[in-house]
Amino acid sequence: MTTWPTRLEAGSPYPLGATWDGLGVNFAVFSAHAQRMDLCIFDKAGRREVARFCLPEYTDEVWHGYLPEGRPGLLYGFRAFGPYDPVRGHRFNPHKLLLDPYARGLHGSLVWSDALFGYRIGGPRGDLSFDRRDSGQAMPKCVVSGGGFEWGKDRLPAVPWGRTVIMEAHVRGMSILRDDIPPAERGTFRALSHPATIEYLTKLGVTTLELMPVQAFARDRFLLERGLTNYWGYSTLGFFAPHPAYLSDGSVHEMQAAIRRLHEAGIEVIMDVVYNHTCEGNELGPTLSWRGLDNATYYRLVPADERHFINDTGCGNTLNLSHPRVLQMVMDSLRYWAVNFHIDGFRFDLGTTLGRESYGFDPCSGFFDALRQDPVLCRLKLVMEPWDPGPGGYQLGNFPPGLAEWNNRFRDTTRRFWRGDELQRGDMAVRLSGSGDLFDSRGRRPWASINFVTAHDGFTLMDQVSYAERHNAANGEDGRDGHADNLSANWGAEGPSDDPGINRTRTLVRRGMLATLLLAQGTPMLLAGDEFGQTQQGNNNAYCQDNATSWLDWSRADEAQGREMRAYVAKLTALRQAHPSVRGDTFWHDRHCPSPDITDISWHAADGTAMTPEKWNDPNDRVLGLRRACRHPAGAADVTFLLLNPGFQDATCTLPDPDGEWRLLLDSAEPSGPLTGERMTRTVRVAAHSILFLSFTPQGVAKEMPS
């Protein structure tokens, strides 16, 4: 039986969190407004509180104390004492056990109960009332971490942006239905790094995995009451702890081992992180951590009405990154994952929120300044979701240099273009060439545009061509949730079809969109499963579907059509890697010619001539040709031609001047041809809903390009 001291030693206000030094544990937690802070110690099962100590010191708004003989694995939580005055933004309630914002691990699950709320649910005064029930039994417990992971010779793959091919994936959904992985490992990090998974990604040409949230998250009460759950994970419960359900053995080392194995295969890992809000919701939400420790500091509150929360995120609350301690928490969290888990980069959910100051979005906000100057983080891949639901929330192209951005303009234009909408060629041309209208300033490069056609939020690629309307009844919101306008088309039937003509068109359009994505300048991002035809049966907001709706159906990957599409995607990624004119590390402006007749970029009509204003504005013509030219690192010329026909009829086209040797590298209508290519005449046929991709050597011009 453990003998506990009568009181804690003073300890240190730094570092924040629970830190084991080999002889004991230092506890430090920030609160600008608490009047007392208690540390609660629990038994190994996390069910019984076995000791309680008052943190004895308060330095620079940090409560701290040192527990001699404390060891890794110790379970703990905090109780904060202070005013319960919601009108002034204070919601202290010592009856509520609180998670340490810096906890490196969590033990147990959140068990929903009215005791988790600081006020009396159902009472006439609402959140102005005070609840005295103890929440300890319903709360997970923080775990003191200790012991490092042996990284050996692990090095970040550091894939150049120009060669990066991202796949967005869900840890659980990616492997839960894989028969070639042991059942106990499916849905976890161990499955993510299984040889079968790594081989699959490598053959497909994926260089970078972007994982949907893996930080500990809450399963929302309102969803559980509907028989649903928070599958996506955008409801953070702990910024420093991996989600326990993704660890098959409960050890954080499993996540570290997975990253090391992926790195050995040359695959990067990007974390999708949610620092814009927490799982505590608005003023009617539970008291789990930040709200109980210092609500008035951690959250943005409505000025002169501090009972209520500013809700720029649409999730009930907004973290106050304008406060230095809240900003410190986010930066410490990012560095923790980068240093202790060798994470290669981060995708920031609702990135606009992170750049908000009291007066609105500011690309020179404190968060961006801190991120860009940090010697560890500034070298990683940093990707912003450039919007939020708040005022002025759409900020695509307005983030500072060094940051990439999800480009929904690329998504929407590509969808309209391949749906056959009129007058899309001009915008499609800009998207294919790196969206210079958005990113060609301040020395930014085309890689800053994260191009995608589908993502977790919305239809899968198969559903994009199979459904004209969303079908979200299973979410329990009367079908009102999710995007109402998906720029989709069902091509003749809503949902699955036995009509060969409809299915042929759907396949062609999917191939066309995938080729557009992978043969455009910018950084391509695939949605896991699109490469073999994953469907969510028309659900375009499957955030609460932890079931076969969202799990990747690997039986589709093994069907003939699935194998063909996987091979097609692998061919596209190989073509992208082989041709620097496709990757285009700089924006091109009709210069740097390999010959007097060939500029770095040019646009052509079906007859091979240059596009004119009249041709751009012809609503009856949809064929678009793109010629790009640059130089391999060794000096050899690389000239390629992309010919797109999203129309409803086959098109006979002429390849542009000057004369030379043309080789066909890809026909999306017949994609099984060899990569080496076949020689072509100047006249070619492009099937409806299809793309040709060709390479070109000018006649009489050496393959060596001039400087």
Side-chain angles (χ1 to χ4, degrees):
M1 181 176 179
T2 302
T3 301
W4 302 101
T6 57
R7 67 187 304 274
L8 299 180
E9 297 177 7
S12 169
Y14 183 85
L16 291 168
T19 306
W20 179 61
D21 64 6
L23 299 176
V25 179
N26 187 79
F27 294 91
V29 58
F30 160 78
S31 179
H33 298 100
Q35 298 165 349
R36 170 181 151 190
M37 190 73 64
D38 281 3
L39 169 70
C40 303
I41 305 297
F42 291 83
D43 65 8
K44 292 182 179 180
R47 298 191 184 95
R48 185 169 59 91
E49 185 177 320
V50 295
R52 186 180 295 196
F53 304 96
C54 178
L55 292 181
E57 296 292 334
Y58 187 56
T59 305
D60 296 334
E61 299 183 330
V62 174
W63 294 91
H64 55 95
Y66 182 83
L67 178 63
E69 302 302 324
R71 292 180 173 83
L74 187 73
L75 303 185
Y76 72 100
F78 294 119
R79 295 180 187 272
F81 295 75
Y84 188 82
D85 189 359
V87 172
R88 292 175 175 81
H90 300 305
R91 296 177 180 269
F92 293 98
N93 187 334
H95 302 285
K96 310 306 169 184
L97 186 72
L98 306 174
L99 295 178
D100 180 358
Y102 278 69
R104 266 59 170 177
L106 297 181
H107 173 85
S109 302
L110 191 67
V111 180
W112 282 105
S113 159
D114 287 357
L116 291 172
F117 295 77
Y119 64 96
R120 178 67 65 171
I121 288 185
R125 299 184 68 231
D127 64 298
L128 297 178
S129 63
F130 186 78
D131 187 270
R132 298 182 183 278
R133 286 171 290 187
D134 192 285
S135 68
Q137 290 296 311
M139 286 289 292
K141 309 305 183 292
C142 306
V143 184
V144 175
S145 65
F149 177 76
E150 179 52 59
W151 285 99
K153 297 181 179 179
D154 181 73
R155 295 291 183 273
L156 272 60
V159 179
W161 270 110
R163 292 189 174 274
T164 299
V165 177
I166 299 172
M167 172 174 279
E168 187 191 29
H170 189 284
V171 170
R172 177 169 168 81
M174 191 163 189
S175 61
I176 196 70
L177 295 180
R178 286 202 69 148
D179 294 335
D180 53 354
I181 293 176
E185 298 179 5
R186 297 173 195 168
T188 69
F189 277 101
R190 194 177 296 276
L192 193 70
S193 62
H194 190 278
T197 304
I198 291 176
E199 180 184 14
Y200 180 86
L201 295 171
T202 302
K203 286 184 176 180
L204 203 61
V206 171
T207 70
T208 306
L209 263 183
E210 181 178 302
L211 299 179
M212 291 175 66
V214 298
Q215 293 168 315
F217 60 87
R219 301 193 181 279
D220 304 271
R221 187 181 196 179
F222 77 95
L223 289 174
L224 295 175
E225 290 173 348
R226 292 185 201 161
L228 302 169
T229 189
N230 178 2
Y231 173 68
W232 285 354
Y234 293 94
S235 193
T236 309
L237 181 63
F239 291 118
F240 292 77
H243 190 57
Y246 296 161
L247 304 172
S248 65
D249 61 5
S251 170
V252 299
H253 293 332
E254 179 179 326
M255 180 176 174
Q256 293 165 316
I259 293 169
R260 181 176 175 180
R261 292 190 183 102
L262 287 162
H263 282 179
E264 288 173 353
I267 299 172
E268 299 176 312
V269 179
I270 290 177
M271 284 174 55
D272 189 342
V273 288
V274 187
Y275 296 113
N276 55 79
H277 74 282
T278 76
C279 64
E280 291 185 311
N282 63 15
E283 62 274 7
L284 299 179
T287 297
L288 308 175
S289 178
W290 308 274
R291 170 173 282 134
L293 289 169
D294 194 347
N295 183 74
T297 296
Y298 277 108
Y299 294 114
R300 293 190 185 275
L301 305 179
V302 177
D305 184 17
E306 294 173 321
R307 176 184 177 184
H308 297 105
F309 292 69
I310 291 174
N311 186 20
D312 288 331
T313 65
C315 300
N317 63 57
T318 305
L319 275 176
N320 181 19
L321 267 68
S322 296
H323 192 282
R325 285 297 191 181
V326 183
L327 177 60
Q328 177 190 354
M329 177 187 69
V330 172
M331 298 304 295
D332 286 349
S333 171
L334 290 168
R335 277 190 298 272
Y336 174 71
W337 294 105
V339 173
N340 293 75
F341 287 78
H342 290 203
I343 289 296
D344 300 272
F346 300 94
R347 180 265 187 187
F348 296 92
D349 181 64
L350 300 186
T352 296
T353 303
L354 307 181
R356 285 187 180 275
E357 301 291 351
S358 60
Y359 47 84
F361 175 78
D362 186 347
C364 298
S365 71
F367 172 71
F368 294 140
D369 289 346
L371 187 65
R372 294 170 64 207
Q373 64 78 42
D374 188 281
V376 173
L377 302 175
C378 71
R379 294 177 292 171
L380 305 182
K381 286 186 165 75
L382 305 174
V383 180
M384 293 289 160
E385 184 181 36
W387 50 77
D388 71 18
Y394 188 74
Q395 294 292 335
L396 177 63
N398 293 331
F399 285 74
L403 309 180
E405 304 175 36
W406 271 27
N407 188 351
N408 69 321
R409 290 278 299 277
F410 183 96
R411 176 198 65 194
D412 294 350
T413 298
T414 302
R415 290 180 175 185
R416 291 189 182 101
F417 183 80
W418 286 103
R419 191 170 63 175
D421 291 11
E422 296 178 354
L423 298 174
Q424 296 300 310
R425 289 188 296 178
D427 203 27
M428 190 75 259
V430 178
R431 306 303 144 224
L432 285 167
S433 51
S435 293
D437 60 331
L438 300 169
F439 300 107
D440 190 6
S441 64
R442 304 182 68 186
R444 300 182 80 180
R445 299 295 186 95
W447 58 256
S449 175
I450 303 297
N451 299 334
F452 66 103
V453 178
T454 55
H456 69 272
D457 186 4
F459 279 150
T460 67
L461 186 61
M462 177 62 83
D463 289 355
Q464 184 66 28
V465 299
S466 302
Y467 295 91
E469 305 290 340
R470 57 189 168 174
H471 295 266
N472 296 356
N475 295 352
E477 300 179 41
D478 297 324
R480 295 189 302 268
D481 61 304
H483 299 295
D485 183 9
N486 299 277
L487 304 175
S488 62
N490 63 27
W491 300 102
E494 188 74 354
S497 173
D498 294 327
D499 187 302
I502 291 175
N503 288 330
R504 169 67 175 169
T505 300
R506 290 175 175 177
T507 299
L508 288 172
V509 174
R510 286 164 58 209
R511 288 179 190 158
M513 288 196 283
L514 286 168
T516 302
L517 173 66
L518 288 163
L519 299 179
Q521 280 183 270
T523 304
M525 185 185 77
L526 294 160
L527 174 64
D530 277 353
E531 73 278 9
F532 59 72
Q534 176 72 11
T535 176
Q536 293 176 171
Q537 294 80 47
N539 191 324
N540 73 347
N541 189 35
Y543 75 104
C544 55
Q545 300 293 330
D546 187 4
N547 51 47
T549 299
S550 297
W551 301 339
L552 296 194
D553 182 359
W554 290 100
S555 66
R556 285 179 168 267
D558 293 331
E559 295 172 352
Q561 289 185 348
R563 292 195 303 270
E564 290 173 2
M565 193 64 82
R566 284 161 48 199
Y568 176 70
V569 171
K571 177 180 283 191
L572 288 171
T573 59
L575 286 170
R576 181 178 183 85
Q577 300 295 6
H579 292 279
S581 63
V582 171
R583 300 193 302 273
D585 290 339
T586 60
F587 288 103
W588 293 325
H589 301 283
D590 196 27
R591 57 178 183 256
H592 302 303
C593 311
S595 77
D597 299 315
I598 300 178
T599 58
D600 54 9
I601 189 167
S602 58
W603 302 97
H604 300 269
D607 61 5
T609 61
M611 292 291 287
T612 63
E614 292 75 20
K615 292 176 180 177
W616 285 116
N617 294 313
D618 183 351
N620 299 314
D621 191 354
R622 291 175 174 80
V623 173
L624 179 63
L626 166 61
R627 186 176 63 195
R628 292 170 286 188
C630 70
R631 178 169 48 187
H632 282 283
D638 183 56
V639 184
T640 57
F641 191 63
L642 194 62
L643 193 54
L644 306 91
N645 178 20
F648 304 94
Q649 304 295 328
D650 295 356
T652 299
C653 301
T654 302
L655 300 176
D657 290 330
D659 290 334
E661 181 181 275
W662 290 95
R663 288 186 177 272
L664 179 65
L665 303 180
L666 178 81
D667 179 352
S668 67
E670 302 292 340
S672 59
L675 280 175
T676 52
E678 59 178 288
R679 292 186 180 182
M680 302 291 291
T681 64
R682 290 285 301 281
T683 302
V684 296
R685 174 183 165 276
V686 189
H689 315 297
S690 298
I691 281 183
L692 297 186
F693 180 65
L694 308 98
S695 65
F696 176 66
T697 302
Q699 201 171 67
V701 176
K703 291 187 178 181
E704 185 76 18
M705 289 180 70
S707 299

